[in-house]
Amino acid sequence: MQNPGFKKNQPYRLGVIIVNYQTPELVETCLSTLAPQLGAVNGCCVIVDNASGDGSLDRLTAWCEVSPAADRLMVVSAPQNGGFSAGNNIGLKHLNADLVLLLNSDAAVKPDALIALIRAADHNSQASIFTPLIVDGDGEPQVSRFRRHRLLSEFVDGAQTGPITKVFPKAETPIFPEDIDTEPDWVSFSAVMIRRQAIEDAGPMDEGFFLYYEDCDYCRRLTGKGHRICYVPDAVFQHDAGGSTKLRERQAKSARLPEYYYRSRSRYFRKTYGPLGPIAANLFWFAGRGVALARGIVGRPAPKLSANRYADMWIGWRGDNKS
């Protein structure tokens, strides 16, 4: 553990956690936008290096040591790369803060975004989860609010057919930026602020999710405890979607997705619907895919899939010890 001048025992209003795995340059860019705002909100930041083994720990420690906000920055070394949930759980153990901001390494904090989030928390005592407006590099809003993954949503996702989506509009998972009235079931954890009291109520994040689906699972647990989600459009964060994981790049190229993506998907549906959940989700998706293929015979071709998608969707469906 490295803590260059960090005031660990001091209570903070806001504690930020950034998990790093071999992306120190992204973390430095993120910190350059975050660190100047910490003082204004009595905030601090813990950077958890998930056993990168590429010199990230030393590099980020050196960066923090020379930062004007050095006394508010701390670098922690994880014993192994346990994934996103595990990294954030480690970070939580080193924070003494009322509000916790989980922040991706490929995100950037726009001016006054932290102030806007805390103002929202002060004015919305009924809410515990605060999601900002997330934009891309061109300033265009990204999809960051979602409806829950349900069995019917797997059918809609597999079909990717306009008339099907219109028949089942509430089964469409993404909530598009122009829709500001629909209350989300879950939000992207690329940037999200949660009350520490709510985290203690729900417990730590499920480390069985190495990466992906941990945000919808944790929001399900939080909202199941009665904690509400508040959208804060005045707080703006920029996110290079997939910059730290390259998932979007793989999807665009129809390349094979990593095994842990499918294990997380299976784990989510098993937790939500029981042992047969992953099987049911796959059957719904395959039914939707059948619609897409049938449509392709007479009209627009069915969308391309990631390589080996049909087989990979069954990864982890039995609930083995890796999922």
Side-chain angles (χ1 to χ4, degrees), residues 156-225:
V156 171
D157 179 64
Q160 294 191 31
T161 301
I164 296 293
T165 303
K166 289 180 180 179
V167 172
F168 304 109
K170 293 184 179 180
E172 187 176 34
T173 304
I175 298 173
F176 296 99
E178 59 270 19
D179 181 356
I180 60 174
D181 296 322
T182 300
E183 185 170 342
D185 294 317
W186 63 279
V187 296
S188 169
F189 276 16
S190 57
V192 64
M193 188 177 77
I194 309 172
R195 295 188 192 274
R196 184 62 179 260
Q197 184 177 1
I199 293 174
E200 293 176 353
D201 190 19
M205 294 176 67
D206 183 350
E207 297 183 10
F209 293 98
F210 183 81
L211 194 60
Y212 300 109
Y213 284 86
E214 69 285 312
D215 39 15
C216 51
D217 174 71
Y218 202 58
C219 283
R220 180 178 63 88
R221 290 165 55 193
L222 287 165
T223 55
K225 294 283 188 178

Side-chain angles (χ1 to χ4, degrees), residues 250-265:
R250 292 189 186 193
Q251 289 174 323
K253 296 179 179 179
S254 297
R256 190 174 186 179
L257 302 185
E259 180 179 313
Y260 55 72
Y261 173 86
Y262 295 104
R263 289 196 180 280
S264 291
R265 177 181 177 275

Side-chain angles (χ1 to χ4, degrees), residues 267-285:
R267 184 177 186 85
Y268 174 81
F269 281 109
R270 189 167 52 256
K271 289 185 69 174
T272 305
Y273 293 102
L276 298 181
I279 298 175
N282 285 354
L283 292 178
F284 270 80
W285 185 90

Side-chain angles (χ1 to χ4, degrees), residues 221-251:
R221 290 165 55 193
L222 287 165
T223 55
K225 294 283 188 178
H227 299 289
R228 297 188 60 183
I229 298 172
C230 175
Y231 177 44
V232 190
D234 292 341
V236 183
F237 288 69
Q238 181 179 315
H239 181 224
D240 176 16
S244 58
T245 64
K246 307 301 181 186
L247 183 71
R248 294 289 179 87
E249 184 178 323
R250 292 189 186 193
Q251 289 174 323

Side-chain angles (χ1 to χ4, degrees), residues 27 51 115 149 162 243 307:
V27 176
I115 291 175
H149 289 287

